[in-house]
Amino acid sequence: MTTSATPAGEVGSQDEPPTRMITLSVNGRRKRVLIEDRQLLVDVIREQLHLTGTRIGCYNGDCGACTLRVDGRIAKSCLVLAASADGAEITTIEGIAPEGELGDVQQAFWDFDAFQCGFCVAGQLFAVDDLLDTSADPSEDEIRTALQGNLCRCTGYVNIVKAAKAAAQRRHEKGE
């Protein structure tokens, strides 16, 4: 029996994954991108939109480095198919505060040295910001619970908790 083989590296059109155009509003700017149906949102954000503050750490939702906000809710973008985000409002770490300014949580992280290498900081910032949107004066336990699912190998979380408390205090003083 004789079989014919395709030379290594040669891909026919039948082997190419399906693609589609999607529209995203990213950090307040409308974007149209061509994606493969199987493509993850984290890859679209980083590779096509060049917003590299959204990190790739684990590709399975354990580390939180790829965290962003999709339609008002924080999400781990390594677990989201880009096609499912068609029409979504997305905020990446680059859009978490007005351009040229630091938000309350970012400023508190800076003031309390709540990050070192910065790899995990997006997940930590989004988690604390999300918590403070629902709890004006969270306890240490509430803060630590909110941070679950965000891995930091540098800080030990002590300063992250202090920063979260300080950000809550700042928001209280500003009447937010």
Side-chain angles (χ1 to χ4, degrees), residues 2-81:
T2 316
T3 60
S4 61
T6 303
E10 192 174 297
V11 177
S13 62
Q14 66 194 28
D15 294 333
E16 292 179 18
T19 60
R20 70 179 69 214
M21 289 295 292
I22 64 169
T23 303
L24 305 170
S25 177
V26 181
N27 301 330
R29 293 191 173 118
R30 190 174 161 99
K31 305 283 184 176
R32 286 190 45 84
V33 290
L34 179 66
I35 63 159
E36 293 180 3
D37 284 355
R38 65 184 179 187
Q39 203 166 5
L40 296 172
L41 185 57
V42 68
D43 295 322
V44 171
I45 294 293
R46 289 183 55 81
E47 296 168 14
Q48 290 180 251
L49 301 179
H50 309 289
L51 296 169
T52 57
T54 302
R55 311 281 190 196
I56 298 170
C58 65
Y59 273 122
N60 61 11
D62 288 336
C63 74
C66 68
T67 301
L68 40 72
R69 196 176 300 273
V70 178
D71 289 333
R73 299 185 70 195
I74 57 174
K76 294 179 179 179
S77 60
C78 73
L79 299 178
V80 177
L81 286 172

